[in-house]
Amino acid sequence: MLGWVACIGAVTAEAMAAREERSPASARGRLLAAERERLVVRASPLQGRPSLYALTRRGLRAYGWGGLAPVRLGAATAAHMIACAEVAVALELAYPE
């Protein structure tokens, strides 16, 4: 899970659910558990849109990418990040290895 979040930058629980063929509640639970461990941070910068989850410095170190800065989650980029997560899942499902 951390690897996919690291590679995408920021994900939604709904995108993770689709990718892992789980329910959104299950994906949200996994992300919230990672948030409690301070591996991810959650932000809801856009009203009516899904929350975004991104790796913290601790999460980046746990994944082995400690030299990178965490993704900044804000209103200016939230719609783009949500769309990227959705498109990444669609591409992975359309072109499995």
Side-chain angles (χ1 to χ4, degrees), residues 17-38:
R19 181 178 190 265
E20 296 180 347
E21 298 179 349
R22 297 175 179 254
S23 70
S26 174
R28 194 171 297 106
R30 292 185 68 211
L31 288 163
L32 291 174
E35 183 180 24
R36 282 191 298 274
E37 293 179 33
R38 298 182 316 177

Side-chain angles (χ1 to χ4, degrees), residues 1 5 7 22 24 28 41 46 56-57 59 63 65-66 84 87-89:
M1 174 186 77
V5 177
C7 290
R22 297 175 179 254
R28 194 171 297 106
V41 63
L46 299 178
T56 60
R57 286 192 190 280
Y63 186 65
W65 287 8
C84 286
V87 169
V89 170

Side-chain angles (χ1 to χ4, degrees), residues 21-97:
E21 298 179 349
R22 297 175 179 254
S23 70
S26 174
R28 194 171 297 106
R30 292 185 68 211
L31 288 163
L32 291 174
E35 183 180 24
R36 282 191 298 274
E37 293 179 33
R38 298 182 316 177
L39 298 172
V40 301
V41 63
R42 175 175 43 120
S44 301
L46 299 178
Q47 187 174 0
R49 299 295 306 268
S51 294
L52 284 162
Y53 298 83
L55 292 187
T56 60
R57 286 192 190 280
R58 184 177 181 164
L60 287 165
R61 280 193 307 272
Y63 186 65
W65 287 8
L68 296 180
V71 171
R72 294 181 187 191
L73 301 175
T77 58
H80 176 78
M81 289 181 189
I82 292 167
C84 286
E86 292 170 350
V87 169
V89 170
L91 288 171
E92 285 184 24
L93 295 176
Y95 300 101
E97 290 186 63

